[in-house]
Amino acid sequence: MLAFRAAARPFASLIAGLITSSGRPAALAMAVAALSLLGNPAQAQAAQANWWESITGSGTPDYTGRRSEDGDRERAARQAEPLDDLRPDAMPMRSDEMIAAIDAAIAKYQQIADSGGWPVVPPGRMMREGEDDDRVPLLRRRLQMSGDMRTRNDGYNSYTFDGELTDAVKRYQRRNGLRPTGRVERSTYPALNMSVDQRIAQLRMNLGRIRELMANPVEERYVLVNVPAFQLEAVQKYEVQQRHRVIVGRTERQSPSVKATIRALNFFPYWRVPDSVAHLDLIPRLLKEPDYLQNEKIRVLDAAGVKEIDPQTVNWTAPEAQKLKFRQDPGPQNALGLVRIDMPNEHTVYMHDTPMKPLFAQRSRAFSAGCVRVEGVFNLVDWLAHYEQGWGEPGRAQQIVEAGQAVDVTLTRPVPVYFVYITAWAERDGDVEFRPDIYGRDGAVDQVAEMDRDPSEPAPAVTLAP
């Protein structure tokens, strides 16, 4: 069922929403034409030339004097090579096939343990192609034992880090959720030097988590978010039909494990700022930036969340300020983006779009305050609403956004959703995958700060968002 809400936003804001929501020529042409009708050809020309800069977090930051030549080359290589961190086939994480694959991985690793395990590669300075290092033979042996170095040269004791070893290191890094640089650097050593017994224990722990998910009958249609893998899978008839990269909660604002039901889709949503975000993030920020509320179109409401209050009349350092509520208007600046996926639960977390789309290019994506931001969310929305009247064909979500009309869709066929914490699994081809224990729930050292960080660029700023 579709319900329309009044979208009381200026026409220019609607145009900005169109520009932000789509890179498609049709949407851009609509926006430029509309601005021309407003009698401002210069503004229309600017929109056409720089429309991407209206997306929060986009643009070209100036790091003059901070980039090294090596950093420039690596950045160009990363941009040329698309992110490849999504699982490769249609086998669901929550399946008997996955249980069988993990059982086979445990058996393989147990054979390695019974033969004495793999060697430790002493941590130290970076190892990379073209350089000599006394540890290279150990590294080569380590990667042969885990199957990352496909050619076996047991008698080859060269100390030179060659191209074959670079490829093996990249393969290992991909399997461990690390940025595949081909260099053995600080972020690689902790994963590389986990013993085979520790890896077996990790596989067994995650096998137990998947068995627990399988304890109840598996629904024909559901969504599963694997938090430490930063990815979502939409499953129907026991096959994955879509996968999406996601942004999850940062270490101090963890995304919880959740079993809930997706019941509605909200286009052009308001964001009712949670009290925790208001107290920890919003009020401290507006004390430093008095215009922040106006710039971000955030309204101040009374303690009941009903009556609007002039922020100029509030003493933000007084205890009474902690009782106030905040609500952000719909639009391209909204922290929820252009659509929210409603899934009522005790943790009050949900899934949503985001204006901070450049963050999806990071391999480690723990940036939110607990909710889950979904890349390509309109495709997921089309899948969720597939059986709703008038939906059917893909692209309907995009059409609603381009129409600029606030719409609430109540699903007549609600979809179960799971937020889970799986840090080890196996694929049908025999590859064994591990991910850093970002929240310490496996009892391992938190490695999230070491993941996918280019030292020539600053870490992404923590934004005010769910």
Side-chain angles (χ1 to χ4, degrees), residues 177-459:
L178 302 171
R179 201 156 45 91
T181 63
R183 303 188 301 263
V184 182
E185 46 205 344
R186 186 174 64 175
S187 62
T188 305
Y189 284 111
L192 195 64
N193 284 328
M194 286 188 71
S195 71
V196 68
D197 289 329
Q198 288 174 304
R199 290 306 197 189
I200 291 171
Q202 187 179 5
L203 284 164
R204 292 190 186 281
M205 179 182 297
N206 284 277
L207 179 61
R209 289 169 177 161
I210 293 175
R211 288 190 189 280
E212 187 176 347
L213 285 170
M214 297 286 291
N216 296 320
V218 176
E219 301 89 348
E220 180 180 328
R221 201 162 181 262
Y222 65 91
V223 170
L224 183 141
V225 175
N226 186 6
V227 171
F230 309 112
Q231 62 185 278
L232 172 156
E233 52 191 44
V235 181
Q236 185 164 344
K237 295 183 178 178
Y238 314 108
E239 286 194 346
V240 176
Q241 297 196 337
Q242 291 187 17
R243 281 201 177 90
H244 299 259
R245 293 180 182 86
V246 299
I247 292 168
V248 303
R250 52 194 185 270
T251 306
E252 66 274 18
R253 308 281 185 86
Q254 299 180 11
S255 294
S257 295
V258 170
K259 180 183 183 301
T261 302
I262 298 169
R263 300 192 178 278
L265 309 168
N266 312 124
F267 288 87
F268 296 105
Y270 288 94
W271 179 38
R272 298 184 183 277
V273 181
D275 289 343
S276 60
V277 175
H279 300 161
L280 295 173
D281 300 321
L282 178 55
I283 293 177
R285 185 156 185 172
L286 65 86
L287 285 171
K288 298 177 182 178
E289 303 175 41
D291 294 335
Y292 185 78
L293 295 177
Q294 180 180 356
N295 293 339
E296 296 298 318
K297 297 181 174 57
I298 298 175
R299 301 176 187 273
V300 183
L301 307 176
D302 63 11
V306 177
K307 182 181 177 182
E308 187 171 350
I309 296 174
D310 182 353
Q312 301 296 327
T313 66
V314 178
N315 178 3
W316 294 110
T317 61
E320 290 75 17
Q322 300 290 318
K323 299 177 183 178
L324 298 176
K325 306 296 182 183
F326 299 86
R327 187 186 69 196
Q328 188 178 34
D329 288 347
Q333 85 294 334
N334 190 283
L336 304 185
L338 299 174
V339 66
R340 173 183 183 268
I341 299 173
D342 187 22
M343 41 175 282
N345 61 86
E346 61 179 326
H347 303 282
T348 63
V349 293
Y350 43 86
M351 297 182 288
H352 61 93
D353 182 26
T354 175
M356 295 295 291
K357 291 176 175 59
L359 292 182
F360 289 114
Q362 295 285 336
R363 191 165 290 267
S364 168
R365 296 186 288 274
F367 302 125
S368 83
C371 290
V372 171
R373 311 174 199 172
V374 182
E375 185 180 39
V377 69
F378 294 161
N379 293 332
L380 178 62
V381 165
D382 281 338
W383 184 85
L384 291 169
H386 177 75
Y387 295 103
E388 301 306 313
Q389 185 176 1
W391 213 277
E393 295 299 321
R396 176 66 176 135
Q398 183 71 47
Q399 292 172 3
I400 291 176
V401 168
E402 290 181 356
Q405 185 72 41
V407 177
D408 293 328
V409 181
T410 301
L411 297 180
T412 59
R413 294 178 60 172
V415 180
V417 58
Y418 298 83
F419 288 5
V420 302
Y421 196 85
I422 307 296
T423 59
W425 68 89
E427 299 293 351
R428 278 193 273 218
D429 60 6
D431 277 353
V432 187
E433 297 279 331
F434 298 98
R435 295 296 181 269
D437 178 17
I438 61 173
Y439 298 157
R441 296 180 189 176
D442 291 355
V445 176
D446 185 350
Q447 296 176 32
V448 71
E450 303 293 340
M451 295 175 59
D452 197 23
R453 291 291 185 263
D454 183 344
S456 64
E457 290 185 357

Side-chain angles (χ1 to χ4, degrees), residues 42-296:
Q43 190 175 359
Q45 185 176 3
Q48 187 169 16
N50 299 304
W51 62 268
W52 59 87
E53 292 182 359
S54 68
I55 304 175
T56 307
S58 289
T60 309
D62 181 12
Y63 297 117
T64 303
R66 298 178 60 181
R67 294 185 182 184
S68 67
E69 206 170 299
D70 285 346
D72 287 337
R73 280 197 297 267
E74 182 180 334
R75 186 174 299 101
R78 276 217 321 277
Q79 290 171 350
E81 181 179 346
L83 204 59
D84 57 351
D85 60 341
L86 294 180
R87 291 189 51 231
D89 64 28
M91 178 175 67
M93 182 68 72
R94 183 176 172 233
S95 64
D96 290 327
E97 283 182 286
M98 179 59 72
I99 289 175
I102 296 177
D103 278 332
I106 291 171
K108 179 170 73 175
Y109 275 48
Q110 189 61 56
Q111 288 181 334
I112 297 173
D114 292 344
S115 68
W118 47 58
V120 171
V121 180
R125 69 180 183 88
M126 179 192 300
M127 288 191 282
R128 59 184 174 182
E129 187 172 345
E131 297 180 351
D132 289 348
D133 195 294
D134 291 343
R135 298 168 295 171
V136 164
L138 283 173
L139 175 63
R140 194 181 301 274
R141 178 65 175 160
R142 165 67 180 84
L143 296 176
Q144 285 174 346
M145 294 189 73
S146 58
D148 296 288
M149 192 155 195
R150 303 298 169 86
T151 57
R152 301 190 63 85
N153 295 307
D154 294 331
Y156 181 52
N157 291 317
S158 169
Y159 295 104
T160 301
F161 197 117
D162 58 18
E164 182 184 40
L165 192 51
T166 296
D167 291 341
V169 170
K170 285 184 178 180
R171 189 175 296 113
Y172 181 84
Q173 288 168 327
R174 287 190 184 96
R175 287 198 307 107
N176 284 268
L178 302 171
R179 201 156 45 91
T181 63
R183 303 188 301 263
V184 182
E185 46 205 344
R186 186 174 64 175
S187 62
T188 305
Y189 284 111
L192 195 64
N193 284 328
M194 286 188 71
S195 71
V196 68
D197 289 329
Q198 288 174 304
R199 290 306 197 189
I200 291 171
Q202 187 179 5
L203 284 164
R204 292 190 186 281
M205 179 182 297
N206 284 277
L207 179 61
R209 289 169 177 161
I210 293 175
R211 288 190 189 280
E212 187 176 347
L213 285 170
M214 297 286 291
N216 296 320
V218 176
E219 301 89 348
E220 180 180 328
R221 201 162 181 262
Y222 65 91
V223 170
L224 183 141
V225 175
N226 186 6
V227 171
F230 309 112
Q231 62 185 278
L232 172 156
E233 52 191 44
V235 181
Q236 185 164 344
K237 295 183 178 178
Y238 314 108
E239 286 194 346
V240 176
Q241 297 196 337
Q242 291 187 17
R243 281 201 177 90
H244 299 259
R245 293 180 182 86
V246 299
I247 292 168
V248 303
R250 52 194 185 270
T251 306
E252 66 274 18
R253 308 281 185 86
Q254 299 180 11
S255 294
S257 295
V258 170
K259 180 183 183 301
T261 302
I262 298 169
R263 300 192 178 278
L265 309 168
N266 312 124
F267 288 87
F268 296 105
Y270 288 94
W271 179 38
R272 298 184 183 277
V273 181
D275 289 343
S276 60
V277 175
H279 300 161
L280 295 173
D281 300 321
L282 178 55
I283 293 177
R285 185 156 185 172
L286 65 86
L287 285 171
K288 298 177 182 178
E289 303 175 41
D291 294 335
Y292 185 78
L293 295 177
Q294 180 180 356
N295 293 339
E296 296 298 318

Side-chain angles (χ1 to χ4, degrees), residues 3-62:
F4 290 85
R5 286 181 282 114
R9 296 177 293 123
F11 186 65
S13 295
L14 169 59
I15 299 309
L18 292 177
I19 294 172
T20 302
S21 67
S22 175
R24 299 195 308 174
L28 179 57
M30 287 172 60
V32 174
L35 286 172
S36 298
L37 288 174
L38 287 175
N40 193 337
Q43 190 175 359
Q45 185 176 3
Q48 187 169 16
N50 299 304
W51 62 268
W52 59 87
E53 292 182 359
S54 68
I55 304 175
T56 307
S58 289
T60 309
D62 181 12

